[in-house]
Amino acid sequence: LLIVLNYRLGIENKWIYGLHQPVQRFIGFYCVYAIAFLLPFTAVVLFAHRTAALEPACWLLALVAPALFAMKASVNPMSLWHPVTSLGRYFSTIGNLPSRLLLLLVPLSLFWYRVQANNGSFWGLTTRGFHWQPYVLMLLIMLPLIAFASTQQDFLHTYPKLKQVAFTNGMTPHPFWYKLGFELSYGTDFLTIELFFRGFLVFAFVRWLGPDAVLPMAAFYCSIHFGKPLFECISSFFGGLLLGIIAYRTQSILGGIVVHLGIAWMMEAGGYIGNLLRK
């Protein structure tokens, strides 16, 4: 229902991004994320009879969780810096996503210390139980889908994100290193996402919801793709389910990070090649 409303009414692209104040954007994102997370969360508690989730601490954490990602989506610490040169603009651009990762790490570290510290790994960030072969297979399965998406107009309008630093092309005789710096910076966003969704939202709530914690996480995860092409948004729900199940089964988010980074960089390559072929 939220997907239909978003792509019919432009909730994110027209309404939320039409708000220029960070506080207003925060409220807009919080409303969308809270609905996407708390409705399935409540359904799981009621219909799966998860009575342990009736604890106040569980609901407090459930109310805070959308606020954390709304903060990440609406606050850019690098906006405090106003570069006057192209080089400064470049470093401001590539510093955006890593700074948001650091911003989110503060509350995630506090919650981990209070909720999860006895389990060892930081929200599933561990190599224990990790085997790389299944994740390579997943990436190979995604390859033809991304190749198809790379022929679609809405996909090529969005990707590659590398277009954000196109202004560096005439700035240096070695643009490759600038582009590599951007792609590495872009990759940090997927570490943030895996830590939050497959780490925090699964492992923090599994104590109350058991494996059913995966479902509201996947719905929440889908909602952060409302600004993306429709096919990507729909597939993100099923991708979120799959990665959540893997994280729960393996007690590690490392596989999800590998898959997410692999898909993200394949989409970058697909968008780059697709736009070249259209010229």
Side-chain angles (χ1 to χ4, degrees), residues 167-184:
F167 62 88
T168 63
N169 289 339
M171 197 171 72
T172 172
H174 307 290
F176 169 79
W177 298 108
Y178 285 77
K179 293 176 180 177
L180 178 62
F182 174 84
E183 292 296 350
L184 292 175

Side-chain angles (χ1 to χ4, degrees), residues 16-77:
I16 297 179
Y17 282 114
L19 302 172
H20 301 293
Q21 297 299 322
V23 174
Q24 294 175 331
R25 280 197 179 186
F26 171 82
I27 294 171
F29 278 122
Y30 182 81
C31 291
V32 173
Y33 297 159
I35 292 170
F37 182 60
L38 293 175
L39 286 182
F41 186 90
T42 304
V44 164
V45 172
L46 295 177
F47 296 111
H49 306 291
R50 296 289 182 178
T51 55
L54 297 178
E55 293 182 17
C58 175
W59 285 94
L60 178 62
L61 206 59
L63 289 168
V64 168
L68 294 181
F69 209 82
M71 176 183 68
K72 184 264 183 192
S74 57
V75 177
N76 175 13

Side-chain angles (χ1 to χ4, degrees), residues 19 128 132 144 170 195 200 245:
L19 302 172
R128 187 174 61 242
W132 60 268
L195 269 175
F200 172 61
I245 292 168

Side-chain angles (χ1 to χ4, degrees), residues 173-203:
H174 307 290
F176 169 79
W177 298 108
Y178 285 77
K179 293 176 180 177
L180 178 62
F182 174 84
E183 292 296 350
L184 292 175
S185 166
Y186 181 52
T188 64
D189 197 38
F190 302 98
L191 173 58
T192 306
I193 288 171
E194 290 302 316
L195 269 175
F196 183 81
F197 287 95
R198 261 62 72 179
F200 172 61
L201 289 188
V202 172
F203 297 127

Side-chain angles (χ1 to χ4, degrees), residues 96-174:
N96 176 17
L97 295 177
S99 67
R100 294 185 190 215
L101 169 60
L102 294 175
L103 183 68
L104 203 58
L105 274 176
V106 175
L108 288 186
S109 298
L110 293 174
F111 286 131
W112 175 77
Y113 179 75
R114 294 287 297 177
V115 176
Q116 195 75 8
N118 292 335
N119 289 349
S121 66
F122 180 69
W123 297 125
L125 195 60
T126 176
T127 58
R128 187 174 61 242
F130 174 74
H131 302 283
W132 60 268
Q133 295 90 339
Y135 307 108
V136 172
L137 178 60
M138 291 181 200
L139 291 176
L140 290 175
I141 292 172
M142 288 299 300
L143 189 57
L145 298 175
I146 292 173
F148 168 74
S150 300
T151 65
Q152 304 303 301
Q153 180 63 37
D154 58 346
F155 181 91
L156 295 177
H157 178 73
T158 305
Y159 295 98
K161 298 292 187 179
L162 185 63
K163 290 184 286 189
Q164 295 178 32
V165 292
F167 62 88
T168 63
N169 289 339
M171 197 171 72
T172 172
H174 307 290

